[in-house]
Amino acid sequence: MSDQNFDSLAHKFTHNIYGTIKGQIRLEILNRDLNKYTPLQSQKLRILDAGGGIGYLSRQLAAQGHEVVLCDISDELLHKAQQEIEQFTPNISLQLLHCSIQKLPKNLGKFDLILCHAVLEWLEDGYQTLSKLQEFLSETGHFSLMFYNLEAQRFHALVCGNFSYINNGLKAKKTVRLTPQHAYLIQDIRKWFKEWQLTEVATSGVRVINDYLKAGARQQFNESELIDMELKYSTHPAYLELGRYIHIIGSN
């Protein structure tokens, strides 16, 4: 087995993630957390976007004046990233590397901020891969991890009445290629952070409402109202761990 490569699914992947309200919610929460809990607003940072794909967030950060390196194993996604840079933000410091996280060149040096968003769930050996990634984090750096949440996966199946899926250990009879295959518990990720000697400075749920909306509910509000509610309740202790994804920032 190997890590997921999205070359053959690049267009569908890009549309499904970034062309929907799901992607908008993700970006809003990531931007809020990163701006609030890392030095993005106070100094120029050296940033690594590990498995950054088409680089939506990387381009934003580079456009703010930060020095960004983005790596991904998908040549097709990196090609799209280069097209986006040339079309919208040609004068930014954003380096694209066609390689896996495991094969990042050691001479890249250290980074003030490392992003690893919606990547862990596609890795065959997530713990070892992210452990190696810590070698690139500076002594005062921040690590931003967003991962697919096992308890949210389970709860979504419960409220949908998909009890056979629950009883089958959350293993689908038919694999959907864009459905993550490796979900994680927040307490296990916190154990990893402690092993890496990272202090947890922020934790948010991503999509704590959207994925549980009842049929017809979307007719009662517009998307900006939904995003406002997602932001409001993403850190609420009763709802945070219902997020389809969890975003954790740790600092050295």
Side-chain angles (χ1 to χ4, degrees):
M1 296 293 288
S2 61
D3 299 340
Q4 178 69 52
N5 187 318
F6 289 103
D7 270 345
S8 63
L9 297 168
H11 176 75
K12 186 175 182 180
F13 175 81
T14 302
H15 173 75
N16 282 14
I17 301 302
Y18 298 109
T20 67
I21 185 64
K22 293 180 181 180
Q24 294 175 45
I25 293 168
R26 172 191 294 190
L27 287 171
E28 289 283 348
I29 289 175
L30 289 175
N31 276 316
R32 180 202 61 191
D33 290 354
L34 290 169
N35 283 306
K36 186 174 181 179
Y37 295 103
T38 74
L40 281 175
Q41 297 296 316
S42 59
Q43 62 191 79
K44 180 179 178 180
L45 303 181
R46 191 159 188 262
I47 301 170
L48 172 62
D49 192 354
I54 198 172
Y56 269 73
L57 190 53
S58 281
R59 283 197 300 109
Q60 288 182 24
L61 296 172
Q64 293 170 16
H66 301 290
E67 178 187 341
V68 185
V69 176
L70 182 155
C71 78
D72 203 278
I73 59 174
S74 170
D75 187 57
E76 188 62 30
L77 287 177
L78 289 177
H79 178 66
K80 288 181 177 293
Q82 185 61 47
Q83 289 179 323
E84 295 281 314
I85 292 169
E86 293 172 357
Q87 183 176 357
F88 299 110
T89 49
N91 301 312
I92 59 173
S93 178
L94 176 50
Q95 178 185 0
L96 303 178
L97 290 180
H98 184 209
C99 71
S100 66
I101 296 173
Q102 298 92 330
K103 294 184 178 180
L104 281 167
K106 292 184 178 180
N107 63 6
L108 274 179
K110 301 289 186 178
F111 293 86
D112 306 302
L113 174 61
I114 295 179
L115 313 176
C116 192
H117 298 157
V119 175
L120 176 59
E121 53 270 21
W122 302 105
L123 299 174
E124 282 305 309
D125 192 337
Y127 172 75
Q128 288 298 329
T129 300
L130 296 196
S131 293
K132 293 291 290 183
L133 193 55
Q134 303 308 308
E135 297 175 7
F136 293 92
L137 192 63
S138 73
E139 291 182 358
T140 58
H142 288 74
F143 180 53
S144 170
L145 177 67
M146 185 179 75
F147 63 92
Y148 195 58
N149 179 16
L150 178 60
E151 289 301 357
Q153 183 184 21
R154 192 192 330 269
F155 186 67
H156 188 267
L158 286 169
V159 297
C160 290
N162 197 353
F163 300 151
S164 61
Y165 178 57
I166 299 290
N167 291 331
N168 195 38
L170 301 178
K171 304 292 184 183
K173 294 179 181 179
K174 182 179 179 181
T175 301
V176 179
R177 289 191 293 175
L178 286 178
T179 298
Q181 300 304 303
H182 306 287
Y184 290 85
L185 294 169
I186 191 170
Q187 56 263 37
D188 290 335
I189 300 300
R190 283 177 166 148
K191 289 178 183 177
W192 296 4
F193 271 47
K194 287 183 179 179
E195 288 182 32
W196 300 330
Q197 297 185 319
L198 294 174
T199 300
E200 184 179 335
V201 296
T203 308
S204 299
V206 180
R207 286 162 40 200
V208 301
I209 302 166
N210 180 78
D211 292 30
Y212 307 106
L213 288 170
K214 292 184 177 180
R218 295 179 193 275
Q219 299 173 6
Q220 303 178 56
F221 54 79
N222 58 45
E223 289 188 349
S224 64
E225 290 176 301
L226 174 57
I227 290 172
D228 287 344
M229 285 295 179
E230 289 279 0
L231 287 165
K232 180 177 180 179
Y233 288 101
S234 62
T235 57
H236 192 292
Y239 309 118
L240 187 158
E241 294 190 31
L242 292 179
R244 184 52 68 96
Y245 288 81
I246 300 292
H247 180 223
I248 299 184
I249 299 176
S251 67
N252 261 340

